[in-house]
Amino acid sequence: MKPEVRAGFVAAAVLMGFAPAACAEPPRPAARQTAPSPAMADLLGYLQRQNSTGFIVIQDGTVIVDQSWPAPSTDRLFANFVYGHAASGALLEDVASQQKSFVAVLVAIAIDKGLIDVNAPVSTYLGQGWSKASAEQEASIRVIDVLTMSSGLDERFGYTAPAGTTFFYNTPVYALSKQIVAAAAKQPIEAVTRDWLTAPLGMSNTAWRRRPAALASVGNDTGLVTTPQDVARFGAMVLAGGLSADGTRVVSAEQLHALFDRSETNPAYGRLWWLNGSDYVVRPQIGRAPGQLIPAAPADLVAALGAFDRRLYVVPSRKLIVVRTGAAATDRDFDQQIWLRLMPLIG
Protein backbone atom coordinates (compact mmCIF):
# COMPACT_ATOMS: atom_id res chain seq x y z
CA MET A 1 0.00 0.00 0.00
CA LYS A 2 1.35 3.43 -0.84
CA PRO A 3 2.52 5.47 2.18
CA GLU A 4 0.39 8.50 1.37
CA VAL A 5 -2.74 6.37 1.34
CA ARG A 6 -2.09 4.88 4.78
CA ALA A 7 -1.11 8.15 6.42
CA GLY A 8 -3.72 9.74 8.65
CA PHE A 9 -6.16 6.84 8.76
CA VAL A 10 -4.88 4.72 11.66
CA ALA A 11 -6.93 6.69 14.17
CA ALA A 12 -10.06 5.97 12.16
CA ALA A 13 -9.22 2.28 12.33
CA VAL A 14 -9.15 2.39 16.10
CA LEU A 15 -12.41 4.33 16.31
CA MET A 16 -14.22 1.82 14.08
CA GLY A 17 -12.89 -1.21 15.92
CA PHE A 18 -10.68 -2.38 13.07
CA ALA A 19 -7.37 -1.84 14.83
CA PRO A 20 -4.59 -3.49 12.79
CA ALA A 21 -3.81 -6.27 15.24
CA ALA A 22 -1.72 -8.15 12.69
CA CYS A 23 0.56 -5.20 12.03
CA ALA A 24 4.13 -5.20 13.36
CA GLU A 25 3.63 -2.09 15.47
CA PRO A 26 0.64 -0.92 17.54
CA PRO A 27 -1.56 1.88 16.22
CA ARG A 28 -0.35 5.36 17.05
CA PRO A 29 -2.22 8.65 17.05
CA ALA A 30 -2.54 9.89 13.52
CA ALA A 31 -0.62 12.89 12.37
CA ARG A 32 -2.53 15.86 11.00
CA GLN A 33 -4.34 14.67 7.89
CA THR A 34 -3.13 16.06 4.63
CA ALA A 35 -5.09 16.54 1.45
CA PRO A 36 -5.83 13.25 -0.34
CA SER A 37 -3.61 12.25 -3.20
CA PRO A 38 -4.91 12.97 -6.73
CA ALA A 39 -5.73 9.27 -7.14
CA MET A 40 -7.72 9.20 -3.90
CA ALA A 41 -9.49 12.44 -4.77
CA ASP A 42 -10.42 10.97 -8.15
CA LEU A 43 -11.89 7.84 -6.53
CA LEU A 44 -13.91 9.74 -3.93
CA GLY A 45 -15.12 12.32 -6.43
CA TYR A 46 -16.26 9.55 -8.75
CA LEU A 47 -18.14 7.77 -5.97
CA GLN A 48 -19.90 10.95 -4.94
CA ARG A 49 -20.98 11.65 -8.51
CA GLN A 50 -22.33 8.10 -8.71
CA ASN A 51 -24.91 8.62 -5.92
CA SER A 52 -22.93 6.89 -3.18
CA THR A 53 -23.87 7.43 0.47
CA GLY A 54 -21.07 5.41 2.05
CA PHE A 55 -17.70 3.96 1.07
CA ILE A 56 -15.26 2.04 3.25
CA VAL A 57 -11.91 0.49 2.35
CA ILE A 58 -10.01 -1.60 4.91
CA GLN A 59 -6.69 -3.23 4.07
CA ASP A 60 -4.71 -5.47 6.40
CA GLY A 61 -6.86 -4.29 9.32
CA THR A 62 -6.34 -0.58 8.67
CA VAL A 63 -9.14 1.72 7.56
CA ILE A 64 -8.02 3.57 4.44
CA VAL A 65 -11.34 5.21 3.64
CA ASP A 66 -14.50 5.75 5.69
CA GLN A 67 -16.46 8.32 3.72
CA SER A 68 -20.14 9.25 3.69
CA TRP A 69 -22.28 11.60 1.61
CA PRO A 70 -25.89 12.83 1.94
CA ALA A 71 -28.61 10.71 0.41
CA PRO A 72 -29.69 11.84 -3.06
CA SER A 73 -32.74 14.00 -2.50
CA THR A 74 -34.27 13.51 -5.94
CA ASP A 75 -34.25 9.69 -6.00
CA ARG A 76 -37.72 8.66 -4.80
CA LEU A 77 -37.02 4.95 -5.15
CA PHE A 78 -33.97 5.19 -2.91
CA ALA A 79 -36.14 6.68 -0.15
CA ASN A 80 -37.92 3.30 0.11
CA PHE A 81 -34.62 1.71 1.13
CA VAL A 82 -33.76 4.13 3.95
CA TYR A 83 -34.80 3.56 7.58
CA GLY A 84 -33.40 6.63 9.28
CA HIS A 85 -29.97 6.96 10.85
CA ALA A 86 -27.91 4.97 13.32
CA ALA A 87 -26.66 6.69 16.47
CA SER A 88 -23.35 7.18 14.65
CA GLY A 89 -25.14 9.22 11.97
CA ALA A 90 -24.75 6.54 9.28
CA LEU A 91 -27.76 5.89 7.08
CA LEU A 92 -29.67 2.69 7.83
CA GLU A 93 -30.20 1.19 4.38
CA ASP A 94 -31.87 -1.93 3.08
CA VAL A 95 -28.96 -3.46 1.16
CA ALA A 96 -31.23 -5.28 -1.32
CA SER A 97 -29.89 -8.59 -2.65
CA GLN A 98 -26.70 -8.22 -0.68
CA GLN A 99 -28.76 -9.97 2.01
CA LYS A 100 -28.40 -13.21 0.06
CA SER A 101 -24.74 -13.50 1.01
CA PHE A 102 -25.54 -12.93 4.69
CA VAL A 103 -28.12 -15.72 4.55
CA ALA A 104 -25.57 -17.97 2.86
CA VAL A 105 -23.40 -17.62 5.96
CA LEU A 106 -26.40 -18.49 8.16
CA VAL A 107 -26.86 -21.67 6.11
CA ALA A 108 -23.17 -22.46 6.56
CA ILE A 109 -23.50 -22.03 10.34
CA ALA A 110 -26.58 -24.28 10.31
CA ILE A 111 -24.51 -26.93 8.53
CA ASP A 112 -21.86 -26.62 11.24
CA LYS A 113 -24.59 -27.18 13.82
CA GLY A 114 -25.84 -30.28 12.02
CA LEU A 115 -29.18 -28.66 11.23
CA ILE A 116 -29.04 -28.50 7.42
CA ASP A 117 -27.85 -30.85 4.71
CA VAL A 118 -27.51 -28.90 1.46
CA ASN A 119 -27.96 -32.07 -0.58
CA ALA A 120 -31.31 -32.80 1.04
CA PRO A 121 -34.54 -31.86 -0.76
CA VAL A 122 -36.03 -28.50 0.15
CA SER A 123 -39.17 -30.37 1.21
CA THR A 124 -37.16 -31.90 4.08
CA TYR A 125 -37.42 -28.50 5.78
CA LEU A 126 -40.51 -26.90 4.24
CA GLY A 127 -42.73 -29.92 3.66
CA GLN A 128 -44.32 -30.93 0.37
CA GLY A 129 -46.18 -28.55 -1.92
CA TRP A 130 -43.94 -25.50 -1.52
CA SER A 131 -43.66 -25.15 -5.32
CA LYS A 132 -45.95 -25.48 -8.33
CA ALA A 133 -43.87 -28.32 -9.74
CA SER A 134 -45.11 -31.89 -9.70
CA ALA A 135 -44.40 -33.92 -6.59
CA GLU A 136 -41.61 -35.81 -8.38
CA GLN A 137 -40.04 -32.63 -9.79
CA GLU A 138 -40.24 -30.85 -6.45
CA ALA A 139 -38.61 -33.76 -4.64
CA SER A 140 -35.54 -33.40 -6.86
CA ILE A 141 -34.88 -29.77 -5.87
CA ARG A 142 -32.22 -29.65 -3.17
CA VAL A 143 -31.17 -26.87 -0.83
CA ILE A 144 -27.95 -26.48 -2.81
CA ASP A 145 -30.00 -25.81 -5.94
CA VAL A 146 -31.70 -22.89 -4.22
CA LEU A 147 -28.37 -21.51 -3.01
CA THR A 148 -26.81 -21.67 -6.50
CA MET A 149 -29.84 -20.24 -8.34
CA SER A 150 -30.33 -23.50 -10.21
CA SER A 151 -33.67 -24.69 -8.82
CA GLY A 152 -35.19 -25.06 -12.28
CA LEU A 153 -38.18 -22.95 -11.22
CA ASP A 154 -39.43 -19.63 -12.52
CA GLU A 155 -40.30 -16.69 -10.26
CA ARG A 156 -43.80 -18.08 -9.74
CA PHE A 157 -42.35 -21.43 -8.64
CA GLY A 158 -43.35 -23.16 -11.86
CA TYR A 159 -41.12 -25.92 -13.25
CA THR A 160 -38.95 -24.92 -16.23
CA ALA A 161 -35.91 -27.24 -16.16
CA PRO A 162 -34.39 -30.10 -14.17
CA ALA A 163 -32.82 -28.88 -10.94
CA GLY A 164 -29.10 -28.17 -11.13
CA THR A 165 -28.99 -27.66 -14.90
CA THR A 166 -29.73 -23.95 -15.49
CA PHE A 167 -28.70 -20.71 -13.79
CA PHE A 168 -31.62 -18.34 -13.26
CA TYR A 169 -31.27 -15.51 -10.76
CA ASN A 170 -34.50 -16.07 -8.85
CA THR A 171 -35.17 -13.86 -5.84
CA PRO A 172 -38.57 -15.34 -4.85
CA VAL A 173 -37.10 -18.85 -4.74
CA TYR A 174 -34.00 -17.56 -2.92
CA ALA A 175 -36.30 -16.18 -0.19
CA LEU A 176 -37.08 -19.78 0.74
CA SER A 177 -33.55 -20.06 2.11
CA LYS A 178 -34.57 -17.82 5.03
CA GLN A 179 -37.50 -20.14 5.69
CA ILE A 180 -35.21 -23.17 5.49
CA VAL A 181 -32.83 -21.74 8.09
CA ALA A 182 -35.69 -20.78 10.40
CA ALA A 183 -37.35 -24.17 10.06
CA ALA A 184 -34.10 -26.04 10.66
CA ALA A 185 -33.26 -23.92 13.72
CA LYS A 186 -36.87 -23.88 14.95
CA GLN A 187 -36.50 -20.14 15.53
CA PRO A 188 -37.50 -17.01 13.61
CA ILE A 189 -34.91 -15.78 11.12
CA GLU A 190 -34.57 -12.57 13.15
CA ALA A 191 -33.47 -14.52 16.24
CA VAL A 192 -31.15 -16.78 14.27
CA THR A 193 -29.48 -13.83 12.56
CA ARG A 194 -28.98 -12.01 15.86
CA ASP A 195 -27.70 -15.00 17.84
CA TRP A 196 -25.52 -16.60 15.17
CA LEU A 197 -24.19 -13.61 13.27
CA THR A 198 -24.85 -10.00 14.16
CA ALA A 199 -24.33 -10.20 17.94
CA PRO A 200 -21.06 -12.17 17.72
CA LEU A 201 -19.75 -9.68 15.14
CA GLY A 202 -20.89 -6.56 16.98
CA MET A 203 -23.24 -5.59 14.13
CA SER A 204 -25.54 -3.60 16.40
CA ASN A 205 -27.19 -1.67 13.56
CA THR A 206 -28.25 -4.67 11.44
CA ALA A 207 -31.74 -6.21 11.50
CA TRP A 208 -34.46 -7.58 9.27
CA ARG A 209 -37.25 -5.11 8.46
CA ARG A 210 -40.58 -5.53 6.70
CA ARG A 211 -40.37 -3.89 3.29
CA PRO A 212 -42.91 -1.47 1.84
CA ALA A 213 -45.55 -3.16 -0.32
CA ALA A 214 -43.95 -1.88 -3.54
CA LEU A 215 -40.68 -3.63 -2.71
CA ALA A 216 -42.21 -6.77 -1.20
CA SER A 217 -43.85 -7.48 -4.56
CA VAL A 218 -40.53 -8.84 -5.89
CA GLY A 219 -41.16 -11.95 -3.82
CA ASN A 220 -38.90 -11.16 -0.85
CA ASP A 221 -40.81 -9.16 1.73
CA THR A 222 -38.07 -8.62 4.34
CA GLY A 223 -34.99 -6.48 3.81
CA LEU A 224 -31.72 -6.55 5.70
CA VAL A 225 -31.19 -3.03 7.03
CA THR A 226 -27.67 -2.10 8.06
CA THR A 227 -24.84 0.44 7.86
CA PRO A 228 -21.57 0.47 5.89
CA GLN A 229 -19.64 -0.12 9.11
CA ASP A 230 -21.66 -3.23 9.97
CA VAL A 231 -21.24 -4.58 6.46
CA ALA A 232 -17.50 -4.04 6.86
CA ARG A 233 -17.57 -6.09 10.08
CA PHE A 234 -19.26 -8.90 8.19
CA GLY A 235 -16.61 -8.63 5.47
CA ALA A 236 -13.86 -8.74 8.09
CA MET A 237 -15.26 -12.04 9.39
CA VAL A 238 -15.20 -13.47 5.86
CA LEU A 239 -11.64 -12.26 5.35
CA ALA A 240 -10.62 -13.82 8.68
CA GLY A 241 -11.90 -17.22 7.61
CA GLY A 242 -14.96 -17.21 9.86
CA LEU A 243 -13.56 -15.51 12.97
CA SER A 244 -14.93 -12.42 14.70
CA ALA A 245 -12.67 -9.53 15.71
CA ASP A 246 -12.11 -11.07 19.15
CA GLY A 247 -11.19 -14.46 17.68
CA THR A 248 -14.54 -16.16 18.27
CA ARG A 249 -15.35 -18.81 15.68
CA VAL A 250 -18.60 -17.76 13.94
CA VAL A 251 -18.55 -20.26 11.08
CA SER A 252 -16.11 -23.01 10.23
CA ALA A 253 -13.49 -22.25 7.59
CA GLU A 254 -14.64 -25.34 5.69
CA GLN A 255 -18.25 -24.23 5.37
CA LEU A 256 -17.31 -20.61 4.72
CA HIS A 257 -15.03 -21.59 1.85
CA ALA A 258 -17.73 -23.86 0.45
CA LEU A 259 -19.75 -20.71 -0.24
CA PHE A 260 -17.14 -19.76 -2.83
CA ASP A 261 -17.08 -23.03 -4.75
CA ARG A 262 -17.99 -22.22 -8.35
CA SER A 263 -21.37 -23.62 -9.31
CA GLU A 264 -21.73 -25.85 -12.34
CA THR A 265 -24.32 -23.60 -13.98
CA ASN A 266 -22.42 -20.31 -13.49
CA PRO A 267 -18.70 -20.23 -12.59
CA ALA A 268 -19.08 -16.61 -11.44
CA TYR A 269 -21.53 -17.69 -8.73
CA GLY A 270 -21.13 -19.81 -5.63
CA ARG A 271 -23.67 -20.22 -2.84
CA LEU A 272 -25.40 -16.81 -2.95
CA TRP A 273 -22.02 -15.10 -3.50
CA TRP A 274 -20.58 -13.64 -6.73
CA LEU A 275 -17.05 -14.71 -7.67
CA ASN A 276 -14.42 -13.06 -9.84
CA GLY A 277 -11.80 -14.89 -11.89
CA SER A 278 -14.01 -17.08 -14.09
CA ASP A 279 -13.81 -17.48 -17.86
CA TYR A 280 -17.41 -16.34 -18.29
CA VAL A 281 -20.29 -14.87 -16.30
CA VAL A 282 -24.04 -15.51 -16.41
CA ARG A 283 -25.69 -12.26 -15.31
CA PRO A 284 -29.34 -11.58 -14.44
CA GLN A 285 -31.35 -10.22 -17.39
CA ILE A 286 -28.21 -10.29 -19.55
CA GLY A 287 -27.15 -13.91 -19.85
CA ARG A 288 -23.78 -15.41 -20.58
CA ALA A 289 -20.81 -13.21 -21.47
CA PRO A 290 -17.10 -14.04 -21.73
CA GLY A 291 -14.61 -12.74 -19.19
CA GLN A 292 -14.51 -12.09 -15.46
CA LEU A 293 -17.15 -10.50 -13.30
CA ILE A 294 -14.93 -7.41 -12.80
CA PRO A 295 -11.88 -7.50 -15.11
CA ALA A 296 -10.03 -4.70 -13.29
CA ALA A 297 -10.31 -6.41 -9.87
CA PRO A 298 -8.14 -9.20 -8.43
CA ALA A 299 -9.20 -12.65 -9.60
CA ASP A 300 -9.84 -13.94 -6.05
CA LEU A 301 -12.43 -11.26 -5.25
CA VAL A 302 -15.72 -12.50 -3.81
CA ALA A 303 -18.70 -10.18 -3.65
CA ALA A 304 -22.07 -9.64 -2.02
CA LEU A 305 -23.95 -7.60 -4.60
CA GLY A 306 -27.27 -5.82 -4.23
CA ALA A 307 -29.54 -3.81 -6.48
CA PHE A 308 -28.74 -0.11 -6.78
CA ASP A 309 -25.07 -1.02 -6.63
CA ARG A 310 -24.86 -1.95 -2.95
CA ARG A 311 -21.49 -3.66 -2.75
CA LEU A 312 -19.29 -5.71 -0.46
CA TYR A 313 -16.03 -6.90 -2.00
CA VAL A 314 -13.60 -9.16 -0.12
CA VAL A 315 -10.17 -9.85 -1.63
CA PRO A 316 -8.07 -12.34 0.37
CA SER A 317 -4.87 -11.83 -1.64
CA ARG A 318 -4.88 -8.12 -0.77
CA LYS A 319 -6.34 -8.54 2.77
CA LEU A 320 -8.96 -6.12 1.54
CA ILE A 321 -12.57 -5.23 2.36
CA VAL A 322 -14.53 -2.67 0.32
CA VAL A 323 -18.09 -1.51 1.06
CA ARG A 324 -20.29 0.80 -1.01
CA THR A 325 -23.84 1.92 -0.17
CA GLY A 326 -26.14 4.38 -1.87
CA ALA A 327 -28.56 4.81 -4.74
CA ALA A 328 -28.07 3.36 -8.20
CA ALA A 329 -24.95 4.52 -9.99
CA THR A 330 -25.34 6.20 -13.36
CA ASP A 331 -22.47 4.29 -15.02
CA ARG A 332 -23.39 0.84 -16.27
CA ASP A 333 -19.81 -0.37 -15.71
CA PHE A 334 -19.71 1.01 -12.17
CA ASP A 335 -17.86 -1.98 -10.66
CA GLN A 336 -15.16 -1.79 -13.29
CA GLN A 337 -14.77 1.96 -12.85
CA ILE A 338 -14.39 1.60 -9.07
CA TRP A 339 -11.63 -0.95 -9.43
CA LEU A 340 -9.79 0.95 -12.13
CA ARG A 341 -9.50 3.79 -9.61
CA LEU A 342 -8.97 1.61 -6.53
CA MET A 343 -6.19 -0.67 -7.75
CA PRO A 344 -3.48 2.04 -7.88
CA LEU A 345 -4.29 2.90 -4.25
CA ILE A 346 -4.06 -0.55 -2.72
CA GLY A 347 -0.73 -1.55 -4.27
Side-chain angles (χ1 to χ4, degrees), residues 28-237:
R28 296 171 293 178
R32 182 181 299 173
Q33 294 189 16
T34 58
S37 67
M40 179 67 78
D42 178 54
L43 171 63
L44 296 179
Y46 176 75
L47 288 161
Q48 184 175 18
R49 294 192 301 274
Q50 294 295 313
N51 301 319
S52 301
T53 57
F55 190 69
I56 294 175
V57 180
I58 303 168
Q59 188 170 39
D60 199 12
T62 298
V63 177
I64 299 173
V65 180
D66 181 9
Q67 181 71 47
S68 61
W69 297 273
S73 59
T74 58
D75 192 322
R76 294 182 179 179
L77 185 58
F78 177 72
N80 290 317
F81 285 83
V82 178
Y83 290 74
H85 292 79
S88 65
L91 279 177
L92 291 164
E93 298 183 30
D94 177 344
V95 291
S97 284
Q98 214 176 61
Q99 66 167 259
K100 294 179 171 72
S101 301
F102 287 76
V103 173
V105 171
L106 294 178
V107 173
I109 296 171
I111 296 170
D112 284 335
K113 293 178 178 293
L115 301 176
I116 288 180
D117 176 358
V118 293
N119 291 309
V122 172
S123 56
T124 302
Y125 306 96
L126 301 186
Q128 297 179 347
W130 59 267
S131 76
K132 295 180 181 177
S134 70
E136 182 179 2
Q137 292 165 343
E138 182 181 279
S140 70
I141 303 172
R142 305 165 299 164
V143 174
I144 189 66
D145 299 320
V146 172
L147 300 177
T148 57
M149 298 291 181
S150 56
S151 67
L153 302 177
D154 61 23
E155 292 178 325
R156 296 185 177 183
F157 294 81
Y159 179 85
T160 62
T165 64
T166 306
F167 180 85
F168 175 60
Y169 193 82
N170 193 329
T171 291
V173 170
Y174 143 74
L176 293 176
S177 61
K178 290 186 280 187
Q179 297 180 35
I180 291 169
V181 171
K186 296 181 173 58
Q187 297 183 71
I189 191 66
E190 294 83 2
V192 172
T193 303
R194 180 192 64 240
D195 295 344
W196 294 3
L197 190 62
T198 59
L201 295 181
M203 297 169 62
S204 58
N205 291 311
T206 301
W208 294 102
R209 301 282 192 96
R210 186 68 56 181
R211 283 174 162 168
L215 301 181
S217 64
V218 301
N220 185 23
D221 61 1
T222 54
L224 190 67
V225 175
T226 186
T227 63
Q229 291 75 21
D230 271 12
V231 175
R233 290 182 175 89
F234 177 68
M237 181 275 294

